[in-house]
Amino acid sequence: MATMFSTVLVLVVLGSGTAIAAGTSSPYTGLEKREIKALSSDEVEAYLGGKGMGLAKAAELNHYPGPAHVLAMSNALALTDDQQMRTESLFKSMETEAISLGHQLIAREAELDGMFADQTITKERLQQSTAAIATLQGQIRRVHLQTHLTQVEILDPEQIRQYDKLRGYFEATDSSLHENAQPHH
């Protein structure tokens, strides 16, 4: 039995080596056709549209609602006119800033891709480019997280519990949920 297992193992290893040597099936196959190799068309579209892309999960999943979802659930959350207006303003402000930063990020990613494509990349240019991209990624994430942080100031604790319940996150039985938040009604 051990001999048969060893034989099968050798054949699998040899077969894998042959496939690798033949250059077949990279997980990147087809991605070389992208305009910006490091980003999918969905990612580019999301950055250019100011979409959240899950960047605010730290807030969203810790009882800090996001304005887009609050607006979508405005009736169920029984938003006041003031809350509705402030949430709409918050969302528009976030979207405007995220779109601006997204355009800058896409331009930097295209620049980096271009330097590799035309073989003008150097260690110094690589350092500068990736640092600029990382800064923009951080700024975009901050914009989305800050929006959740501000949104919690607009809602009352019961609305936050209802939001969590409607989103399917928690039983939301913690009565101290954001009780120190100072809603501005």
Side-chain angles (χ1 to χ4, degrees):
M1 187 67 155
T3 304
M4 187 169 103
F5 177 75
S6 297
T7 303
V8 169
L9 183 60
V10 167
L11 290 174
V12 167
V13 169
L14 287 175
S16 298
T18 303
I20 291 170
T24 59
S25 192
S26 165
Y28 300 143
T29 300
L31 303 185
E32 73 280 3
K33 297 172 185 159
R34 290 179 175 175
E35 189 171 329
I36 299 173
K37 310 302 182 273
L39 299 174
S40 71
S41 59
D42 288 345
E43 289 170 317
V44 170
E45 184 179 321
Y47 279 120
L48 296 178
K51 304 301 181 215
M53 302 176 291
L55 294 174
K57 286 179 191 170
E60 177 76 14
L61 299 175
N62 282 297
H63 313 291
Y64 288 81
H69 300 298
V70 167
L71 290 171
M73 297 186 278
S74 61
N75 290 336
L77 295 175
L79 295 185
T80 65
D81 289 343
D82 181 62
Q83 287 175 317
Q84 179 81 24
M85 180 191 68
R86 291 174 62 206
T87 301
E88 287 171 359
S89 176
L90 176 63
F91 177 78
K92 187 63 178 165
S93 175
M94 176 278 304
E95 186 178 51
T96 299
E97 188 173 0
I99 287 171
S100 174
L101 291 167
H103 280 271
Q104 293 173 54
L105 177 72
I106 297 305
R108 289 293 191 152
E109 285 283 3
E111 182 181 280
L112 177 63
D113 190 84
M115 286 188 286
F116 275 100
D118 64 19
Q119 299 179 355
T120 60
I121 192 75
T122 64
K123 289 179 182 178
E124 294 77 24
R125 292 177 88 184
L126 177 63
Q127 170 61 36
Q128 292 168 352
S129 183
T130 55
I133 289 168
T135 297
L136 286 165
Q137 289 170 327
Q139 289 174 333
I140 292 168
R141 187 168 187 214
R142 178 200 44 80
V143 165
H144 287 284
L145 287 165
Q146 180 65 49
T147 301
H148 285 249
L149 188 61
T150 303
Q151 181 67 61
V152 83
E153 297 171 1
I154 297 170
L155 303 176
D156 65 43
E158 184 53 40
Q159 288 171 314
I160 294 169
R161 278 190 285 278
Q162 183 65 12
Y163 176 93
D164 284 342
K165 183 179 176 186
L166 290 168
R167 297 283 287 161
Y169 298 142
F170 307 98
E171 291 298 315
T173 57
D174 182 1
S175 62
S176 67
L177 189 64
H178 296 296
E179 83 185 12
N180 294 328
Q182 301 297 317
H184 304 286
H185 301 291

